[in-house]
Amino acid sequence: MTTLPRYHYQTKIPAEITTPDQVSTRIGQLDYFDGIPTAETAAKLFDHLDFLRGVEAFLSGVPGASLVAIRRALRASGATGNCMAIFETLMDSRSIFLTANTETIYCWNWMDLKDGPVVVETPPNVLGVVDDFWFRYVTDIGNAGPDRGKGGKYLFLPPGYQGEVPEGYFVFRPATFGNLLFLRGFMQHGDSGPGVASVKAGVRIYQLTDAANPPRTSFVNLSGKDMNTVHANDIHFFKELNEIIQEEPVEAYGPEAMGIFAAIGLRKGTPFAPDARMTAILTDAVAVGNATARAIDFRNRDPESLIYPDRQWHTPFIGGSYEWLTDGWRNYDARTMFFYAATIDTPAMAMKMVGIGSQYASANIDADGEPFDGAKTYRLHVPADVPAKDFWSVVLYDPQTRSMLQTDQQFPSFSSQINPVINADGSVDVWFAPERPEGGANWVQSVPGKSWFTIFRLYGPLEPWFDQSWKLPDIERIG
């Protein structure tokens, strides 16, 4: 920095508040004249700023983009309005859904409130939720909802609704016009038939204006269908995100997030048309954003993500909050970890609710801290007396799609509902290998040349799960 002559009105300037004429940084050398960036340095910094905001737009936009992808698939299947998609014989690996399970009867509907309030009637004994278009929780339905599993009538009012609100409903006001309605029915003794029949007999979706004479709700069976509900991980991601930005109220996601989106050209009422410079930057940003999400998901560095400090099992809800809030601040990495690999946000999956809802434990690496190798053999030893009132299951997933691993097995999973071979002490050994190992009665197939990860689920979790008097051992490589 240039040495200045002495003047009468002059004080000692602290070095820490000044900027040298040259600064070396991770993005290269930055040049100044007395603190004013050169034109070249300013251009470099603006490129970097656009890149940073592109990365942040990816990480903050994953929940919304995920629902855009789900909506696209539901619209293609016809599961909108008063039509509900149902997986009558369960979901298998041909359907690309983020970490779906193979043990419950999935039911989906895209609920659009642009034409006015919508009524949803539900049957007894379902586990459901409504999330808004930014994948934020609106309400539980069924066993964990206000009807307490007895069935009920729910009324959803659009943003800004000023009309009369009739009595006799559980009433909710989502922040967005588009909303996801999701229900899970349950099998009985391994049979999905009774649960499907109950859903079809009890679910009704219709406009409030049709309440006096509601139309019949139809159902489309998606079991075995080849469909994709996962958002893009390239430049097309921003085009998906732009759909929700154009359709929904600006205030729905808050000015901070919308400011990040606007900074890269995603603005309501304005076409998203990045020039060549911005396209190159955003292409790089989405690649780094995707890589960052994968690091957060598969190599998480937060010790609070561990269910047990000495084991490899992780919780999808760090801090036990479905909003990822801790002491008044939001854990953005925890939110990314969840939504990059999962869908459906509800307190019933995050909070301690003994005997109600579900709990989850994910494993991305084995007992030795290594990624799972689809060519190797592994064993999960499930101790006796699993603290699940209803049932437990374990499903294998493809790290690329974060969806069910596609193998020769229709359902890449194992559960207590399918009569496992039980050890003399009541424990169960589940084997993961490309071919059934000798003595491996309870076997899930893996794929040589691919990795995998898994989620262990407990439906109706009991106190020993929460107080950890019952613990799940790590998955061990055998041989």
Side-chain angles (χ1 to χ4, degrees), residues 57-85:
F58 180 88
L59 297 175
S60 297
V62 162
S66 183
L67 259 184
V68 169
I70 291 174
R71 180 180 70 169
R72 182 171 60 235
L74 294 181
R75 281 179 168 176
S77 71
T80 62
N82 66 336
C83 178
M84 172 165 271

Coordinates of all heavy atoms in Angstrom, one line a residue, residues 57-85:
A57 N -28.8 -21.2 -4.2 CA -30.1 -21.4 -4.8 C -30.4 -22.9 -5.0 O -31.6 -23.3 -4.8 CB -30.2 -20.7 -6.2
F58 N -29.4 -23.7 -5.4 CA -29.6 -25.1 -5.5 C -30.0 -25.7 -4.1 O -31.0 -26.4 -4.0 CB -28.4 -25.8 -6.1 CG -28.5 -27.3 -6.2 CD1 -29.1 -27.8 -7.3 CD2 -28.1 -28.1 -5.2 CE1 -29.2 -29.2 -7.5 CE2 -28.3 -29.5 -5.3 CZ -28.8 -30.0 -6.4
L59 N -29.1 -25.4 -3.1 CA -29.3 -26.0 -1.8 C -30.7 -25.6 -1.2 O -31.4 -26.4 -0.6 CB -28.2 -25.7 -0.9 CG -26.8 -26.2 -1.3 CD1 -25.7 -25.7 -0.4 CD2 -26.8 -27.7 -1.4
S60 N -31.0 -24.3 -1.3 CA -32.3 -23.8 -0.8 C -33.5 -24.2 -1.6 O -34.6 -24.3 -1.1 CB -32.2 -22.3 -0.7 OG -31.2 -21.9 0.2
G61 N -33.2 -24.5 -2.9 CA -34.4 -24.8 -3.8 C -34.7 -26.3 -3.9 O -35.7 -26.6 -4.6
V62 N -33.9 -27.1 -3.4 CA -34.1 -28.6 -3.5 C -35.5 -29.0 -3.1 O -36.2 -29.7 -3.8 CB -33.1 -29.4 -2.8 CG1 -33.5 -30.8 -2.5 CG2 -31.8 -29.4 -3.6
P63 N -36.1 -28.5 -1.9 CA -37.4 -28.9 -1.5 C -38.5 -28.6 -2.6 O -39.3 -29.4 -2.9 CB -37.7 -28.2 -0.2 CG -36.3 -27.9 0.3 CD -35.4 -27.7 -0.9
G64 N -38.4 -27.4 -3.1 CA -39.4 -27.0 -4.1 C -39.2 -27.7 -5.4 O -40.2 -28.2 -6.0
A65 N -38.0 -27.8 -5.9 CA -37.7 -28.5 -7.2 C -38.1 -30.0 -7.1 O -38.6 -30.6 -8.0 CB -36.3 -28.4 -7.5
S66 N -38.0 -30.6 -5.9 CA -38.4 -31.9 -5.7 C -39.9 -32.1 -5.9 O -40.4 -33.0 -6.5 CB -38.0 -32.4 -4.3 OG -38.3 -33.8 -4.1
L67 N -40.6 -31.1 -5.4 CA -42.1 -31.2 -5.5 C -42.5 -30.9 -7.0 O -43.5 -31.4 -7.4 CB -42.8 -30.3 -4.5 CG -43.4 -31.0 -3.3 CD1 -44.2 -30.1 -2.4 CD2 -44.3 -32.2 -3.8
V68 N -41.8 -30.1 -7.7 CA -42.1 -29.8 -9.1 C -41.9 -31.2 -9.8 O -42.8 -31.5 -10.7 CB -41.1 -28.8 -9.7 CG1 -41.2 -28.7 -11.2 CG2 -41.4 -27.4 -9.1
A69 N -40.9 -31.9 -9.5 CA -40.7 -33.2 -10.2 C -41.8 -34.2 -9.8 O -42.3 -34.9 -10.7 CB -39.4 -33.8 -9.8
I70 N -42.2 -34.2 -8.6 CA -43.3 -35.1 -8.2 C -44.6 -34.7 -8.8 O -45.4 -35.5 -9.3 CB -43.5 -35.1 -6.6 CG1 -42.3 -35.7 -6.0 CG2 -44.8 -35.7 -6.2 CD1 -42.3 -35.6 -4.4
R71 N -44.9 -33.4 -8.9 CA -46.1 -32.9 -9.5 C -46.1 -33.3 -11.0 O -47.2 -33.7 -11.5 CB -46.2 -31.4 -9.4 CG -47.5 -30.9 -10.1 CD -47.7 -29.4 -10.0 NE -46.7 -28.6 -10.8 CZ -46.8 -27.3 -11.0 NH1 -47.8 -26.6 -10.5 NH2 -45.9 -26.7 -11.7
R72 N -45.0 -33.2 -11.7 CA -44.9 -33.6 -13.1 C -45.3 -35.0 -13.3 O -46.1 -35.3 -14.2 CB -43.5 -33.3 -13.6 CG -43.3 -33.6 -15.1 CD -41.9 -33.2 -15.5 NE -40.9 -33.9 -14.8 CZ -39.9 -33.2 -14.1 NH1 -39.9 -31.9 -14.1 NH2 -39.0 -33.9 -13.5
A73 N -44.9 -35.9 -12.4 CA -45.2 -37.3 -12.5 C -46.7 -37.6 -12.2 O -47.3 -38.4 -12.8 CB -44.3 -38.1 -11.6
L74 N -47.2 -36.9 -11.2 CA -48.6 -37.1 -10.8 C -49.5 -36.5 -11.9 O -50.6 -37.1 -12.1 CB -48.9 -36.4 -9.4 CG -48.2 -37.0 -8.2 CD1 -48.5 -36.2 -7.0 CD2 -48.5 -38.5 -8.1
R75 N -49.2 -35.4 -12.5 CA -50.0 -34.9 -13.5 C -50.0 -35.9 -14.7 O -51.1 -36.1 -15.3 CB -49.5 -33.5 -14.0 CG -49.9 -32.4 -13.1 CD -49.3 -31.1 -13.6 NE -49.9 -29.9 -13.0 CZ -49.5 -28.7 -13.2 NH1 -48.5 -28.4 -14.0 NH2 -50.1 -27.7 -12.5
A76 N -48.8 -36.5 -15.0 CA -48.8 -37.4 -16.1 C -49.6 -38.6 -15.9 O -50.2 -39.2 -16.8 CB -47.3 -37.8 -16.4
S77 N -49.8 -39.0 -14.6 CA -50.6 -40.2 -14.3 C -52.0 -39.8 -14.1 O -52.9 -40.7 -13.9 CB -50.0 -40.8 -13.0 OG -50.3 -40.0 -11.8
G78 N -52.4 -38.5 -14.0 CA -53.7 -38.1 -13.8 C -54.1 -37.9 -12.4 O -55.3 -37.7 -12.1
A79 N -53.2 -38.0 -11.4 CA -53.5 -37.9 -10.0 C -53.6 -36.5 -9.5 O -52.8 -36.0 -8.7 CB -52.5 -38.7 -9.2
T80 N -54.5 -35.8 -10.1 CA -54.8 -34.4 -9.7 C -56.3 -34.2 -9.5 O -57.1 -35.1 -9.9 CB -54.3 -33.4 -10.8 OG1 -55.0 -33.6 -12.0 CG2 -52.8 -33.5 -11.0
G81 N -56.8 -33.1 -9.0 CA -58.2 -32.9 -8.8 C -58.8 -34.0 -7.9 O -58.2 -34.2 -6.8
N82 N -59.8 -34.6 -8.3 CA -60.4 -35.7 -7.5 C -60.0 -37.1 -7.9 O -60.8 -38.0 -7.8 CB -62.0 -35.5 -7.5 CG -62.6 -35.8 -8.8 OD1 -61.9 -35.7 -9.9 ND2 -63.8 -36.2 -8.9
C83 N -58.8 -37.2 -8.4 CA -58.2 -38.5 -8.7 C -57.0 -38.7 -7.9 O -56.1 -37.8 -7.8 CB -57.8 -38.6 -10.2 SG -57.1 -40.2 -10.7
M84 N -56.9 -39.8 -7.3 CA -55.7 -40.1 -6.4 C -54.9 -41.3 -7.0 O -55.5 -42.3 -7.4 CB -56.2 -40.5 -5.0 CG -55.1 -41.0 -4.1 SD -55.5 -40.9 -2.3 CE -55.0 -39.3 -1.9
A85 N -53.6 -41.2 -7.0 CA -52.7 -42.3 -7.4 C -52.6 -43.2 -6.2 O -52.5 -42.8 -5.0 CB -51.4 -41.8 -7.8

